[in-house]
Amino acid sequence: MQGMIFTEFLKMVDIFYSPEVTERIIKQSNTETNGAYTSVGNYSHSELVSMVVALSEEDETPVQDLVRAFGKFLLGQFCEQYPGYFLAHNDIFSFLDHIGNHVHTEVMKLYPDSRPPMIETTRLGLDIMELLYSSHRELGDAAHGLIEGALEYFETEATIQRNQLIEGEKTCIRFLITRTSTQLN
């Protein structure tokens, strides 16, 4: 898993909890790196899972809620670091269409060892989109948080229906995003 995910997770813990909590969860976790990550490194996703579990125990917040909050936080970080990706789109559906077809393709060019999730979108109508998420990692809650963050960024109210699909050893989730209103700038 890309190191940037690890560095952003630790940044979130620093911001929303404290650097002391960050240090405690690193010490409590089963990590080969002892919490020393670089954004361009590649690390076992089990280290991230271990840190999330440690944070869950520290904060008594369910793991799923923490991972979803991390996804939302991560979207905000992407907005700051890659504003061009967001400014190129004027609505949530255009942006989500772009992720699987362009963003993850570019990630693979930059980091050939990476294995980003597969994202496929289908517009089912003017105000409804199906997004299929497939990954060998169990980070569907992060994907859910990323969608929620994107909805906030594009100032769009929507409902998100989520169905877990079975596909071998992969995590496959079908998100149905139904736009209920759009705030125009």
Side-chain angles (χ1 to χ4, degrees), residues 30-100:
N30 182 21
T31 65
E32 292 179 19
T33 63
N34 293 317
Y37 302 103
T38 64
S39 61
V40 296
N42 207 357
Y43 307 97
S44 170
H45 89 283
S46 64
E47 290 194 24
L48 181 65
V49 171
S50 183
M51 289 189 291
V52 171
V53 168
L55 181 59
S56 175
E57 291 169 0
E58 171 91 20
D59 187 47
E60 298 182 1
T61 299
V63 167
Q64 295 83 359
D65 293 348
L66 290 172
V67 174
R68 194 163 154 185
F70 174 57
K72 204 169 181 180
F73 174 83
L74 195 55
L75 192 280
Q77 297 303 298
F78 289 157
C79 286
E80 288 179 21
Q81 295 172 20
Y82 309 104
Y85 285 127
F86 293 84
L87 296 173
H89 304 280
N90 60 1
D91 78 346
I92 182 75
F93 291 164
S94 170
F95 173 74
L96 292 174
D97 276 339
H98 189 71
I99 291 173

Side-chain angles (χ1 to χ4, degrees), residues 1 45 49 63-72 117-119 131-148 160-164 170-175:
M1 175 179 274
H45 89 283
V49 171
V63 167
Q64 295 83 359
D65 293 348
L66 290 172
V67 174
R68 194 163 154 185
F70 174 57
K72 204 169 181 180
M118 267 188 42
I119 306 288
L131 184 145
L132 297 175
Y133 166 90
S134 177
S135 176
H136 63 285
R137 298 180 193 98
E138 294 188 24
L139 292 173
D141 292 310
H144 196 140
L146 283 160
I147 293 168
E148 290 175 328
I160 302 171
Q161 293 176 315
R162 177 177 167 174
N163 297 65
Q164 189 86 17
K170 289 185 176 183
T171 296
C172 297
I173 300 172
R174 176 183 183 253
F175 293 98

Side-chain angles (χ1 to χ4, degrees), residues 116-132:
M118 267 188 42
I119 306 288
E120 296 177 15
T121 57
T122 305
R123 294 192 193 209
L124 303 176
L126 186 61
D127 291 319
I128 190 165
M129 170 181 272
E130 175 186 68
L131 184 145
L132 297 175

